[in-house]
Amino acid sequence: MKLTKHAHACVTLEKDDTRLVIDPGTFTPDAAESVSRAHAVLITHEHFDHFDEKLVAAALEARPELQVYGTAAVATALGSRDGRVHTVAAGDTLTVGSLTATVHGHRHAPIHADIPCPDNVGYLFDDGALYHPGDAYFVPDAPVHTLLLPTSGPWTKLGEAADFVRAVKPERIIQIHELMLSDLGQQSTADLLGENGLTGIPISRLEPGTTVQL
């Protein structure tokens, strides 16, 4: 499996001839291009930095073969589109071409008591090869090789992130959701949460457009 990091929380996964895009939101400049080449789009929750509703709706209109998977709120926003928009929840399994994902978690991490917490799901691919948690620190009941770790945002907290990594016990961490951190902030976060910090696990900072083999 190959992973391409895009800005913020968006990544592309490729295996054999299958291409998936996860969380193409409004903070991702090349989201439209990525979606235009994808077989399916997976959305963790409806916040705009993860789900550009107009972009995904336009892609569904333009490409009758495109499939979309997301929470009930995402499915409601997009409509059925002849059954091509699928509602997923914890415990579900989905398969697109060569890639299979199990669905984990229920709710977005709390930001403040005055701000509602939407549903949020994480996707665990190919028997634990990769886990995208969306905006939550939900620990899947399964081994994880590579963890995509959110490191900035109004809901994140480094102490909780460290405990999340310790509970998941991945072999490798890749930063995502890092856009709100300066370069110094990203490096400081990597130092605190990485191999020589609180978790003892290597953490990678990938520039948008970087592709790695998993």
Side-chain angles (χ1 to χ4, degrees):
M1 184 193 307
K2 291 193 299 183
L3 176 144
T4 299
K5 173 76 171 67
H6 303 284
H8 202 53
C10 182
V11 298
T12 295
L13 299 182
E14 299 174 74
K15 183 179 179 183
D16 300 329
D17 295 324
T18 302
R19 184 190 299 261
L20 305 182
V21 175
I22 309 168
D23 281 3
T26 59
F27 289 174
T28 304
D30 63 345
E33 178 186 356
S34 301
V35 170
S36 72
R37 297 182 290 126
H39 295 92
V41 175
L42 279 59
I43 308 293
T44 61
H45 64 287
E46 73 261 33
H47 283 167
F48 64 90
D49 56 328
H50 295 254
F51 172 44
D52 187 331
E53 181 183 339
K54 291 182 178 179
L55 185 156
V56 177
L60 283 163
E61 192 70 25
R63 300 181 53 220
E65 73 279 11
L66 183 65
Q67 306 286 317
V68 176
Y69 299 83
T71 61
V74 170
T76 297
L78 293 172
S80 173
R81 306 282 177 159
D82 298 321
R84 294 185 293 129
V85 176
H86 310 271
T87 300
V88 295
D92 289 344
T93 299
L94 62 96
T95 299
V96 180
S98 300
L99 286 162
T100 297
T102 52
V103 183
H104 301 265
H106 304 278
R107 304 293 282 177
H108 191 287
I111 299 172
H112 187 274
D114 292 348
I115 300 176
C117 284
D119 290 341
N120 177 97
V121 294
Y123 297 101
L124 182 64
F125 294 90
D126 281 10
D127 297 320
L130 178 79
Y131 182 49
H132 191 312
D135 279 5
Y137 293 134
F138 183 85
V139 179
D141 186 20
V144 174
H145 179 273
T146 299
L147 172 66
L148 301 181
L149 179 65
T151 56
S152 77
W155 61 273
T156 58
K157 186 176 180 181
L158 293 183
E160 293 178 0
D163 289 340
F164 173 57
V165 172
R166 289 177 175 181
V168 174
K169 299 182 179 68
E171 296 179 28
R172 176 185 186 183
I173 306 165
I174 296 174
Q175 281 198 63
I176 61 168
H177 214 280
E178 78 288 4
L179 197 61
M180 294 181 184
L181 294 175
S182 67
D183 185 69
L184 178 62
Q186 288 189 46
Q187 186 57 57
S188 176
T189 296
D191 290 343
L192 184 65
L193 296 178
E195 190 168 15
N196 298 314
L198 292 171
T199 71
I201 297 169
I203 185 168
S204 299
R205 298 173 57 206
L206 302 181
E207 292 296 324
T210 302
T211 297
V212 295
Q213 191 78 37
L214 302 180

